[in-house]
């Protein structure tokens, strides 16, 4: 798994990189490398405009080529969360409650295809929908008339609850291969970036 660390200060970045480099499962790539990493780890106390500017450098035109984004920060707002989802967010961790060991395990889980958003943040997204204060550009959505199939909605509900592919397969009595196929086709058809973006898009349409 190739990981690039973006942190608000070099001391934090070096400390996290040293910890990750000691794990055989992780290969740390330097910031600015020609090749995109598998996972982009962003560590910041507060999301600022410079953070979004840095993230956009890792967003190619093809969403499938973008790295998975793991964010470690302190209490992002709903609007900030929407913007980060549009840039590839698949997992969020509270900086106040996260250890280096937690980060390593989350990166490995994300590399295997997992996604993780706390229920409190999903609640913020719902509230953002109710007040209709969405940033349309950050979501990169196309035609809102595009619909989800019954199978896709069933999978989306499980994703919104934080379930893994294995757990979704067990809950819906599908094979893991079928669940992965449903997610892949849904993301490709709607031009979405990843599973979290798919949940946010469905929430925006009022389907969840």
């Amino acid at each position: 798994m190739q990981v690039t660390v973006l942190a608000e200060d070099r001391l934090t970045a070096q400390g996290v990189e040293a910890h990750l480099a000691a794990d055989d499962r992780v290969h740390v790539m330097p910031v600015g490398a020609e090749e995109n990493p598998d996972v982009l780890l962003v560590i910041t106390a507060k999301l600022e405009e410079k953070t979004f500017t840095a993230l956009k450098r890792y967003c190619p035109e093809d969403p499938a080529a973008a790295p998975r984004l793991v964010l470690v920060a302190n209490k992002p707002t709903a609007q900030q969360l929407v913007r980060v989802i549009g840039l590839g967010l698949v997992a969020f961790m509270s900086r106040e409650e996260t250890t280096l060991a937690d980060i390593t395990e989350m990166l490995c889980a994300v590399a295997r295809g997992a996604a993780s958003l706390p229920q409190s943040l999903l609640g913020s997204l719902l509230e953002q929908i109710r007040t209709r204060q969405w940033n349309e550009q950050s979501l990169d959505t196309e035609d809102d008339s595009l619909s989800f199939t019954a199978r896709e909605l069933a999978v989306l509900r499980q994703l919104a609850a934080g379930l893994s592919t294995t757990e979704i397969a067990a809950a819906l009595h599908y094979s893991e291969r079928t669940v992965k196929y449903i997610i892949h086709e849904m993301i490709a058809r709607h031009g979405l970036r990843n599973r979290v973006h798919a949940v946010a898009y469905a929430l925006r349409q009022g389907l969840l």
Side-chain angles (χ1 to χ4, degrees):
M1 169 182 55
Q2 296 178 322
V3 178
T4 293
V5 179
L6 291 181
E8 57 190 351
D9 63 88
R10 191 57 195 151
L11 183 62
T12 297
Q14 288 179 336
V16 174
E17 288 171 349
H19 176 80
L20 294 176
D23 193 307
D24 293 337
R25 297 171 294 178
V26 182
H27 171 65
V28 178
M29 295 179 62
V31 174
E34 291 186 8
E35 181 183 358
N36 263 357
D38 300 314
V39 183
L40 182 62
L41 172 63
V42 180
I43 304 174
T44 182
K46 183 179 179 181
L47 281 172
E48 298 178 337
E49 202 57 41
K50 63 181 180 181
T51 309
F52 293 106
T53 300
L55 290 178
K56 288 177 182 177
R57 298 172 187 162
Y58 289 88
C59 293
E61 292 185 5
D62 180 8
R68 301 178 182 92
L69 171 59
V70 175
L71 173 65
V72 181
N74 293 331
K75 300 177 181 178
T77 67
Q79 288 180 332
Q80 289 173 332
L81 185 62
V82 169
R83 292 183 67 184
V84 181
I85 287 173
L87 295 172
L89 178 71
V90 294
F92 170 79
M93 307 177 76
S94 169
R95 182 164 181 169
E96 298 173 345
E97 303 171 358
T98 299
T99 66
L100 289 172
D102 293 335
I103 290 175
T104 302
E105 293 310 312
M106 179 60 76
L107 292 175
C108 292
V110 165
R112 295 192 299 268
S116 177
L117 273 184
Q119 289 297 321
S120 59
L121 291 184
L122 289 176
S124 296
L125 282 175
L126 286 169
E127 182 61 28
Q128 187 78 344
I129 293 171
R130 292 188 189 102
T131 56
R132 299 186 180 276
Q133 294 176 349
W134 285 81
N135 183 336
E136 297 291 339
Q137 292 182 346
S138 69
L139 283 173
D140 289 333
T141 56
E142 296 180 355
D143 184 359
D144 279 352
S145 65
L146 292 174
S147 61
F148 291 94
T149 66
R151 289 204 312 175
E152 289 171 347
L153 286 173
V155 170
L156 279 169
R157 292 187 187 100
Q158 304 301 318
L159 287 174
L163 272 64
S164 66
T165 300
T166 301
E167 292 168 331
I168 294 172
L172 299 179
H173 305 291
Y174 293 154
S175 68
E176 288 190 44
R177 183 176 180 179
T178 297
V179 173
K180 290 178 181 178
Y181 175 80
I182 292 171
I183 293 172
H184 172 77
E185 290 298 306
M186 171 178 61
I187 288 174
R189 192 174 74 255
H190 290 275
L192 304 168
R193 293 191 178 279
N194 51 50
R195 300 177 180 202
V196 175
H197 197 187
V199 171
Y201 180 55
L203 286 169
R204 180 180 178 275
Q205 288 188 298
L207 299 175
L208 297 179

